[in-house]
Amino acid sequence: MKKLLLSALLSCAAVWAFATHNRAGEITYRWLSGYNYEITVTTYTKQSSPADRCELVVYFGDGDSATFYRSNGGCGVRCDCPVRDGVDTTNDIRINKYTGTHTYPGPGTYDIYMMDPNRNAGIVNIPNSVNVPFYIRSRLIINPFLFNNNSSPVLTYPPIDNGCLYKLFIHNPGAYDPDGDSLSYELTLCLGAGGVPVQQFNNNLPYNYQPNISVNPMTGDLIWNTPQPGPNPPFNSYPQEHNFAMLIKEWRKAPDGQWYLIGYVMRDLQVDIDNCPNNPPAITNVQDTCVMAGNTLNFQVTATDPDNDLITLSATGGIFNSVNPPATFTAPGTPSVPPVTGTFNWNTNCNLVRNQPYLAVFKAADNDPQNPLVDLQSVLIYVHAPPVSIDSAVPECNSIRLYWGTAPCNPNSNFVTGYKIYRKSSCDSLVPSPCETDVPASWGYTLVGVNNGYYNTVFTDNNLVYGVNYSYRVVATYSDGAVSYASPPFCTRLLMDVPIMRNVDVVSTGNSDTIRVKWIRPLAGANNLDTLAHPGPYVYKVYRGAGLTTPNFSAPVATFTAPTYSALTIDSFIDTGLGTDASAFVYSVQLFAQNGSDTLCRASNASSVYLSLTPGDNQLTLSWQYNVPWTNYLFHIYKETPTGSGNWVLLDSTAQTTYVDNGLVNGATYCYKIKAYGQYSDLTLPRPLINWSQEKCGIPLDLIPPCAPVLAIVSDCDASFNSLSWNNPNLSCADDIVGYNIYYTPVQGVDPTLLITINGAINTTLLHDSLFSIAGCYWVTALDSFNNESVTSNMVCADNCPLYELPNVFTPNGDGINDYFVPFPYKYVKDVDIQIYNRWGEVVFTSTDPDINWDGTHMKSKQPCSDGVYYYVCIANEIRLTGIQPRTLTGFVQILRQKN
């Protein structure tokens, strides 16, 4: 018996050796060459636990596995050298690293995982945690066509933290990617045996335990806001341990411009919560920031503590060790009296330019002996490329050719893919803020071109307008999607060596209308018309076209000649015999030198202002269009008062191109015209430029349909009627309803047809009666005095209540009483299909007549059937709202010819 007892105790000790063990951990990997990877499993275990793992089995996700031996710490205490002992730290934590290598068979998606028999005991949100396996995994995606040489994110901040009740808790893994890939973060589930999510984890726990946990997808800040006590054990006893899990995903941009997931690391982390009086330190709010490559970013980080505990201030992140040059953070190396200040410094260069930000995590830890707490501040730092510089802009007729220098930054790992060219029709001196790359939309620029290639630094902007000052900016683009700061503006204009349009003015409207066309003659001298290179005689040709866009350049409507530049004084043309009510007209003027043999540049097209009217109920909507090289900024609206008098009165003014004149009389005629005020951005040109539209008359008509009524229905199956009623819209949302259209369909889902038109707005009921079937759907529309019809009302439907029953006996003896087998009084049956059988299964009678009217004779022999019981199967085709619906009736009918 003693031996048996000792054996049992040893067995329990063996089980306990595997218990109270794993607290947190993750798996990371590093590319070596080809398909060779170094894999590291990092676990955080109970230092006080008798369980200790000198080795672990790691599964590579390709069907293979291997034993990894612990590789950190000293040797000789728990495990023989060269196997290491791990590193013991404060708060009962041992850090263990197990490292090995593996060669994968080729491209694929591989889930690397490790499972250890037990988590530590007492984890609050994992019931019976001492018997729940600890399972962690990471994903490696090998795709040589898209992703090469990929290593997982590196986590620099341990996954075990302390917190206090009612105090905001923050954890950050301090992750960075050695390949510069983008990272995102999300919560996931802790895993148990076989990689299955742990039972009752993540906001679905007993005792209403619902921690308010969230993860910032960009910074990785895991925030618990805030730990609260639970109502029952173990949720109201402290200290207590909680486990959560997060995924750190890495993304890479492929040549097709799409972002692809290329792997992730799962971190299983533990949070120790105590009911403690300590308050966490606080880092003064440090904002996300930006820096231009080549400049130095320098700022201070200050931490305080409400309990005046000593503070240790530090910083983690790949920005301090995985980039070149790295950033530095200088702070006191020992716990210090608050406030404690550290200095961040980063001498940036072009190799650091990228679209994604760099992450720096600042940590302030107090020295409370019982419950040390921390505050974390994650700061995103963007390194932006400096701007290019526009060297020159050369006008060429109605085009400008831009030249700029290559981008100052062109890192090999994130090369320049090209340039974006922006333009706007005025000059500015706007300067971007430190975090404003590209050209902000609020600046009013338009993207006019994209050049591909680092050395493609010339762009021609076509179809420009004379007399306009243009501002250009250029932005460099990078392979990962980054863009540089916008270049300083380059302001220029086309040469004044062509006629510049200034007026297309409708002088009169009628059967033979007149338009006055005016222009500004070309300027002579430097940067304008070179009269020595282009001597006279000079010829003006005026071109015209119907519409707003294109003149007919094959047939000038006027030609003017001047022997010398000084004699080139003609600047207008009166065009007659037009129909301005039917169409706008567009004009251009071109100058020729050397008596027409030397073709110079042509003026920009300019059209008349064309007014249109749209009638409405007691109103007219005015809208006008134009196509001019200048900017029209104001419009005066004139109205002929009274109509036909020739007296035009200013009605209103607007900067828009539409106007509504209301309060008019339907059926009356009203006439209008528009006076447009415009100008070029070049201050040396005349302003304002005034141009009239044609005169336009219209008649207000009510073309707006009234609102729809609301329809209701009362149905009576017995009396076979549907009673409809609806509201009168004149009492709510209309004023000229004169009648209603009622639409009807007997089958739901079929388009309705007009049933009846009812005159009179107050007639809002309809009795649809004497119906063979009341099944159907109804709609009503309202009609106004201009015969406008509203949209349909709501649909209302009624359905039949079919009735069809058969007796169980009849007496076909010729006495005129009950001589036929007929149904009881029935309703809403279209027809039937009845089969009557004798006791041998022979059909003796069939019919489709719903009245049946069987006289008891055999359908073939025409002889009376013998007295007795007959069986029937009858399908009654009932008339329903959804269509004809069959209903099967079965039963027995008895023939009795003898009288009792």
Side-chain angles (χ1 to χ4, degrees):
M1 176 65 71
K2 290 183 180 179
K3 291 183 179 180
L4 180 62
L5 177 61
L6 178 60
S7 174
L9 290 174
L10 290 175
S11 175
C12 290
V15 172
W16 184 248
F18 289 99
T20 63
H21 186 56
N22 286 285
R23 302 182 65 168
E26 68 262 351
I27 300 173
T28 56
Y29 51 84
R30 182 170 65 92
W31 178 80
L32 299 176
S33 64
Y35 299 136
N36 303 313
Y37 288 81
E38 178 187 78
I39 297 170
T40 298
V41 178
T42 304
T43 64
Y44 296 78
T45 58
K46 285 275 189 179
Q47 178 182 337
S48 58
S49 169
D52 187 52
R53 301 285 185 269
C54 300
E55 60 191 47
L56 292 174
V57 177
V58 178
Y59 299 84
F60 303 117
D62 59 356
D64 199 2
S65 63
T67 299
F68 283 12
Y69 295 93
R70 191 159 50 194
S71 57
N72 69 320
C75 67
V77 177
R78 287 173 292 272
C79 301
D80 294 334
C81 287
V83 179
R84 301 289 175 168
D85 291 337
V87 176
D88 292 337
T89 66
T90 58
N91 298 324
D92 197 14
I93 300 171
R94 177 175 299 146
I95 304 174
N96 312 277
K97 290 185 180 292
Y98 305 86
T99 303
T101 61
H102 182 66
T103 300
Y104 283 92
T109 298
Y110 303 102
D111 285 343
I112 308 166
Y113 69 92
M114 180 279 294
M115 186 176 74
D116 196 74
N118 302 90
R119 295 175 179 269
N120 64 278
I123 299 175
V124 173
N125 61 332
I126 300 180
N128 195 27
S129 62
V130 69
N131 291 318
V132 175
F134 178 74
Y135 187 107
I136 51 176
R137 70 173 168 226
S138 290
R139 177 164 294 177
L140 166 65
I141 299 176
I142 302 176
N143 186 338
F145 299 104
L146 295 174
F147 320 116
N148 293 316
N149 311 349
N150 180 45
S151 296
S152 73
V154 176
L155 313 186
T156 62
Y157 192 76
I160 298 182
D161 261 332
N162 296 325
C164 292
L165 283 177
Y166 312 111
K167 312 291 172 60
L168 184 72
F169 171 83
I170 302 176
H171 168 81
N172 190 290
Y176 71 90
D177 192 276
D179 307 315
D181 296 318
S182 299
L183 301 182
S184 68
Y185 305 82
E186 63 186 60
L187 279 174
T188 188
L189 303 177
C190 287
L191 304 179
V196 177
V198 172
Q199 179 188 10
Q200 294 183 308
F201 178 76
N202 197 34
N203 296 351
N204 187 25
L205 298 171
Y207 315 115
N208 296 319
Y209 176 82
Q210 294 182 339
N212 185 10
I213 300 287
S214 63
V215 169
N216 185 307
M218 283 194 65
T219 66
D221 287 342
L222 184 147
I223 299 176
W224 188 347
N225 188 20
T226 55
Q228 303 290 324
N232 299 301
F235 292 91
N236 59 0
S237 59
Y238 298 93
Q240 56 185 216
E241 295 168 333
H242 308 253
N243 270 65
F244 306 101
M246 64 191 304
L247 294 181
I248 299 98
K249 294 183 174 180
E250 54 178 337
W251 305 82
R252 187 172 295 179
K253 190 175 183 180
D256 63 3
Q258 300 297 314
W259 289 90
Y260 291 89
L261 177 69
I262 60 173
Y264 64 71
V265 169
M266 172 190 170
R267 161 164 278 193
D268 192 311
L269 61 105
Q270 190 166 93
V271 181
D272 295 345
I273 299 296
D274 202 352
N275 187 5
C276 46
N278 187 28
N279 293 289
I283 297 175
T284 303
N285 192 26
V286 182
Q287 301 294 327
D288 296 342
T289 188
C290 306
V291 61
M292 186 168 70
N295 291 348
T296 297
L297 179 63
N298 184 280
F299 59 84
Q300 290 188 329
V301 179
T302 299
T304 59
D305 190 276
D307 306 318
N308 209 35
D309 292 331
L310 300 182
I311 295 175
T312 301
L313 187 60
S314 60
T316 58
I319 194 172
F320 299 105
N321 50 32
S322 68
V323 298
N324 185 23
T328 60
F329 184 67
T330 305
T334 58
S336 303
V337 177
V340 178
T341 298
T343 300
F344 175 90
N345 193 82
W346 197 13
N347 298 316
T348 64
N349 63 23
C350 281
N351 290 325
L352 300 170
V353 171
R354 71 180 194 187
N355 188 43
Q356 296 299 313
Y358 295 88
L359 177 66
V361 180
F362 298 98
K363 173 185 173 184
D366 68 22
N367 70 335
D368 184 271
Q370 299 299 321
N371 300 100
L373 298 179
V374 302
D375 183 31
L376 298 175
Q377 279 282 348
S378 299
V379 177
L380 299 177
I381 301 173
Y382 293 83
V383 179
H384 294 315
V388 303
S389 178
I390 300 177
D391 299 327
S392 62
V394 179
E396 300 171 351
C397 277
N398 66 344
S399 301
I400 292 177
R401 186 179 295 269
L402 289 180
Y403 298 86
W404 62 89
T406 55
C409 283
N410 185 28
N412 292 331
S413 60
N414 187 23
F415 57 89
V416 172
T417 58
Y419 304 90
K420 297 197 289 185
I421 301 94
Y422 292 87
R423 180 196 71 214
K424 78 173 181 178
S425 298
S426 62
C427 297
D428 66 61
S429 57
L430 297 169
V431 177
S433 69
C435 289
E436 272 187 325
T437 57
D438 211 330
V439 175
S442 61
W443 288 7
Y445 282 80
T446 300
L447 179 67
V448 294
V450 174
N451 281 11
N452 294 320
Y454 174 64
Y455 294 103
N456 193 0
T457 58
V458 179
F459 176 77
T460 300
D461 193 15
N462 298 310
N463 301 317
L464 301 177
V465 173
Y466 295 94
V468 175
N469 291 321
Y470 292 106
S471 182
Y472 290 92
R473 293 182 186 257
V474 176
V475 172
T477 60
Y478 290 80
S479 58
D480 74 338
V483 291
S484 72
Y485 291 106
S487 69
F490 195 100
C491 197
T492 188
R493 67 176 187 180
L494 299 177
L495 300 180
M496 298 288 216
D497 58 352
V498 297
I500 297 177
M501 304 298 293
R502 60 174 294 182
N503 290 98
V504 180
D505 183 27
V506 179
V507 178
S508 64
T509 303
N511 294 328
S512 182
D513 305 347
T514 301
I515 292 180
R516 178 186 296 110
V517 181
K518 298 187 70 175
W519 59 89
I520 304 166
R521 75 170 185 166
L523 300 180
N527 297 323
N528 293 303
L529 178 61
D530 187 345
T531 56
L532 295 179
H534 305 283
Y538 296 99
V539 178
Y540 276 132
K541 290 185 179 181
V542 182
Y543 302 96
R544 179 189 69 213
L548 294 166
T549 56
T550 308
N552 182 3
F553 294 112
S554 63
V557 295
T559 302
F560 305 99
T561 303
T564 62
Y565 175 79
S566 60
L568 195 66
T569 58
I570 296 175
D571 62 359
S572 65
F573 164 68
I574 301 296
D575 198 9
T576 60
L578 305 172
T580 59
D581 185 57
S583 172
F585 290 90
V586 61
Y587 294 85
S588 181
V589 178
Q590 187 164 10
L591 179 64
F592 298 83
Q594 298 183 42
N595 204 30
S597 62
D598 184 4
T599 302
L600 303 180
C601 299
R602 188 169 59 230
S604 302
N605 301 338
S607 77
S608 60
V609 177
Y610 185 70
L611 174 63
S612 301
L613 301 180
T614 302
D617 185 13
N618 302 119
Q619 69 179 32
L620 288 168
T621 299
L622 289 69
S623 59
W624 50 97
Q625 296 175 287
Y626 53 84
N627 177 21
V628 296
W630 59 86
T631 300
N632 285 327
Y633 58 88
L634 181 66
F635 305 94
H636 283 177
I637 301 149
Y638 283 82
K639 183 177 183 180
E640 189 179 26
T641 308
T643 302
S645 67
N647 180 41
W648 293 90
V649 177
L650 177 63
L651 176 64
D652 208 342
S653 62
T654 180
Q656 308 302 315
T657 56
T658 59
Y659 181 82
V660 178
D661 189 17
N662 48 36
L664 307 180
V665 177
N666 287 340
T669 300
Y670 300 89
C671 299
Y672 306 85
K673 61 181 178 179
I674 305 297
K675 185 180 183 181
Y677 293 81
Q679 63 188 27
Y680 285 100
S681 61
D682 189 338
L683 298 177
T684 64
L685 298 179
R687 59 175 57 185
L689 307 178
I690 297 176
N691 292 277
W692 289 89
S693 74
Q694 91 284 13
E695 300 168 13
K696 190 72 174 180
C697 299
I699 300 173
L701 296 172
D702 183 2
L703 301 176
I704 301 174
C707 52
V710 178
L711 182 61
I713 187 171
V714 175
S715 302
D716 192 317
C717 275
D718 295 332
S720 296
F721 71 78
N722 291 322
S723 177
L724 303 175
S725 62
W726 58 92
N727 65 301
N728 178 0
N730 279 343
L731 303 178
S732 57
C733 55
D735 59 7
D736 63 342
I737 301 299
V738 297
Y740 307 95
N741 281 339
I742 310 298
Y743 294 88
Y744 168 74
T745 176
V747 180
Q748 189 175 36
V750 176
D751 291 339
T753 58
L754 180 63
L755 177 66
I756 190 173
T757 297
I758 297 176
N759 296 319
I762 62 173
N763 297 322
T764 58
T765 61
L766 173 67
L767 182 64
H768 197 200
D769 61 354
S770 302
L771 301 175
F772 175 71
S773 166
I774 67 168
C777 296
Y778 300 84
W779 295 261
V780 62
T781 62
L783 303 171
D784 67 13
S785 57
F786 284 84
N787 206 36
N788 297 305
E789 185 175 14
S790 75
V791 297
T792 56
S793 70
N794 58 301
M795 176 180 68
V796 297
C797 299
D799 201 0
N800 291 319
C801 38
L803 176 65
Y804 195 80
E805 295 180 354
L806 298 174
N808 60 6
V809 65
F810 74 109
T811 57
N813 54 16
D815 63 358
I817 299 174
N818 198 27
D819 285 334
Y820 293 91
F821 179 49
V822 295
F824 294 113
Y826 63 90
K827 301 189 72 170
Y828 311 125
V829 174
K830 176 178 176 291
D831 52 30
V832 301
D833 182 5
I834 187 168
Q835 310 281 331
I836 300 178
Y837 302 85
N838 61 21
R839 58 183 175 177
W840 296 283
E842 178 188 9
V843 177
V844 298
F845 179 80
T846 66
S847 178
T848 59
D849 182 357
D851 292 327
I852 303 176
N853 286 320
W854 183 36
D855 60 1
T857 60
H858 195 291
M859 67 177 184
K860 292 182 180 179
S861 68
K862 308 301 180 184
Q863 297 298 314
C865 295
S866 62
D867 287 11
V869 176
Y870 293 80
Y871 177 72
Y872 65 81
V873 176
C874 179
I875 298 175
N877 292 311
E878 299 175 339
I879 303 170
R880 302 304 298 261
L881 179 62
T882 54
I884 301 301
Q885 300 294 327
R887 181 168 67 91
T888 301
L889 295 85
T890 61
F892 297 91
V893 59
Q894 184 176 10
I895 294 178
L896 290 176
R897 287 189 173 86
Q898 300 297 324
K899 293 184 178 179
N900 294 326

